[in-house]
Amino acid sequence: MVPHLITALTGPINELEQRIIDSMPATERWFRLEWMEHTPPFYTSVDIRNAGFKLAPVDTNLFPGGWNHLTPEMLPLAVQAAMAAIEKICPEARNLLIVPENHTRNSFYLSNLAQLQRIFNMAGLHVRIGSISPDVKKPLVMDLPNGESITLEPLLRERGRIGLKNFDPCTILLNNDLSAGVPGILEDLHAQYLLPPLHAGWSVRRKSKHFRSYEEVTKRFGKVLGIDPWLINPLFGKCSDVDLTSSTGLEQLQTQVDTLLGKIRRKYKEYGINEKPFVVVKADNGTHGMGVMTVRDAKELAALQPQTLASMAVSKDGQTVHDALIQEGVLTQERVHEAVAEPVVYMVDRYVVGGFYRIHADRGSDENLNAPGAGFVPLAFHHSTQLPQPGARPGASAPNRFYMYGVVARLAMLAASYELEATDPNAEVYD
């Protein structure tokens, strides 16, 4: 079943879809040339919002969980992409070690690890999972809801290399976004490939840097398609030195919100859009869906209760928020099973391998869906029509719509590669 898209047959998004489908050869050549100059992140997931009048990414994850939501039909693509990625980095690779997040009791996350283990095992690697959690002192067998089980083992370090007892990997796959900082056991590894690199973690990474890179990418891609980059790019601002527990920086935040709302109003007027603009305020480092606030008027910030401000002041792993990203709010006009939905696209290396809709029955079209109560529905394809269909009526072909999502997701992935190059501590600097 193809999920019902309520924007399927009307609205400017169809013009964008038509432009992208018609420009497919130029688009694919443009990406091909970009990947000759830049290295894609090892794996990526991108949250996308379809407002009907614009389509834009709102978050890019370089340590994606949720692989368990990909269907068996999507696995062949994921395995092929994994093979290509490993061959580029370590062609002789035999052993791969996955280093997970520390929340070992979350069955959904454990199912995600099992899926990753399955993908890389089918790509020709021996795969084991090594935990840095202090709670994992010996091999721990964890049962999964589907009747399978996985084994977590304590990570060991010896002579500058990490591994497990009787297991010495050449490649380490991080599925831990390092929100709490980089543990010493992962630093200064000898002759081992760490994927993604440590500077991709939230101890270094900032959303504002990512969306600055994305803005640059969309300006260049917009010229290829002949479109206004705003149609695929959320406007944003950054507010530094904020301490919401003491209201420090709150006036500055209000000013920034007001300025961005003004820019969005001008764009809405230019395109004849009658929706009420809004912004989303969130931590500039990874939030994991925490501390995300929708604001339609800067005055709302002054009226916030102390407990609301306190919840906004802390992100994942108890990290204090000092810098805030203010992002143009993008409505989602899609519905699956009558619930508000947003597509999430998954990539390995430079290839789109699948995805799903994140749905939330209790959230509105202008709210964050990455919250407790969210559900997941695979991005559905008819088996015989997975490829885009040039010539199909705009909005009438689900593969065409999903191809468009894949293009936007790859633009975000390319922006992430720019971002990682700019923050690489080992990159050579030329005057």
Side-chain angles (χ1 to χ4, degrees), residues 12-29:
I13 207 73
N14 287 328
E15 298 171 22
L16 179 62
E17 179 182 317
Q18 189 69 60
R19 189 71 62 90
I20 287 176
I21 295 297
D22 290 346
S23 304
M24 195 185 308
T27 294
E28 295 306 326
R29 179 179 182 273

Side-chain angles (χ1 to χ4, degrees), residues 16 19-21 23-24 26-31 34 214-229 232 403-404 407-408 410-411 414 418:
L16 179 62
R19 189 71 62 90
I20 287 176
I21 295 297
S23 304
M24 195 185 308
T27 294
E28 295 306 326
R29 179 179 182 273
W30 186 83
F31 274 120
E34 286 291 325
Y214 184 76
E215 186 175 57
E216 178 187 344
V217 166
T218 55
K219 284 178 180 176
R220 296 177 53 236
F221 184 69
K223 291 178 181 177
V224 175
L225 255 61
I227 63 168
D228 179 354
I232 52 174
Y403 175 76
M404 181 171 67
V407 168
V408 170
R410 284 185 287 164
L411 291 173
L414 179 60
Y418 285 23

Side-chain angles (χ1 to χ4, degrees), residues 103-119:
H103 42 78
T104 55
R105 303 292 173 181
N106 184 319
S107 63
F108 296 107
Y109 179 71
L110 293 172
S111 297
N112 152 75
L113 293 179
Q115 184 83 303
L116 277 175
Q117 191 170 27
R118 184 178 297 112
I119 289 168

Side-chain angles (χ1 to χ4, degrees), residues 196-394:
L198 294 177
H199 67 279
W202 285 120
S203 52
V204 173
R205 192 172 177 233
R206 295 295 178 267
K207 292 177 185 284
S208 55
K209 289 182 179 178
H210 173 74
F211 282 101
R212 194 170 297 117
S213 295
Y214 184 76
E215 186 175 57
E216 178 187 344
V217 166
T218 55
K219 284 178 180 176
R220 296 177 53 236
F221 184 69
K223 291 178 181 177
V224 175
L225 255 61
I227 63 168
D228 179 354
W230 178 75
L231 294 172
I232 52 174
N233 177 37
L235 302 174
F236 75 96
K238 178 184 175 181
C239 190
S240 302
D241 302 320
V242 176
D243 182 359
L244 295 179
T245 56
S246 62
S247 297
T248 301
L250 196 56
E251 286 186 16
Q252 181 191 355
L253 185 60
Q254 285 179 273
T255 301
Q256 294 264 27
V257 165
D258 204 38
T259 299
L260 189 58
L261 283 170
K263 291 179 181 178
I264 302 168
R265 285 189 197 99
R266 287 191 288 275
K267 275 296 182 182
Y268 278 20
K269 185 176 181 181
E270 177 185 343
Y271 283 93
I273 296 164
N274 295 321
E275 301 287 351
K276 184 176 176 62
F278 65 100
V279 300
V280 176
V281 179
K282 49 190 170 184
D284 200 21
N285 56 341
T287 59
H288 203 62
M290 299 172 63
V292 179
M293 179 168 52
T294 300
V295 182
R296 296 167 192 81
D297 188 316
K299 294 176 184 176
E300 295 173 15
L301 293 168
L304 289 175
Q305 296 296 318
Q307 58 266 35
T308 304
L309 289 171
S311 69
M312 286 290 300
V314 179
S315 67
K316 186 183 171 189
D317 289 335
Q319 299 301 298
T320 303
V321 174
H322 297 294
D323 300 315
L325 179 79
I326 306 148
Q327 187 178 59
E328 175 187 354
V330 182
L331 294 166
T332 179
Q333 296 290 11
E334 301 197 42
R335 303 289 185 276
V336 176
H337 307 322
E338 306 305 317
V340 174
E342 64 185 10
V344 185
V345 178
Y346 276 63
M347 292 160 286
V348 176
D349 195 63
R350 59 193 177 99
Y351 305 103
V352 174
V353 299
F356 53 81
Y357 279 106
R358 179 184 290 118
I359 67 173
H360 206 304
D362 298 325
R363 292 287 172 117
S365 61
D366 60 352
E367 293 184 289
N368 170 45
L369 304 187
N370 187 10
F376 306 93
V377 176
L379 287 177
F381 294 98
H382 294 301
H383 293 294
S384 60
T385 56
Q386 291 190 4
L387 294 175
Q389 299 171 303
R393 191 174 76 254

Side-chain angles (χ1 to χ4, degrees), residues 101-102 176-183 201-203 285 316-319:
E101 297 276 2
N102 284 354
N176 182 319
D177 65 16
L178 307 177
S179 291
V182 177
W202 285 120
S203 52
N285 56 341
K316 186 183 171 189
D317 289 335
Q319 299 301 298

Side-chain angles (χ1 to χ4, degrees), residues 33-53:
L33 294 176
E34 286 291 325
W35 295 130
M36 289 174 68
E37 299 292 330
H38 304 282
T39 302
F42 188 77
Y43 58 177
T44 316
S45 70
V46 179
D47 298 356
I48 296 174
R49 305 275 285 206
N50 179 354
F53 53 84

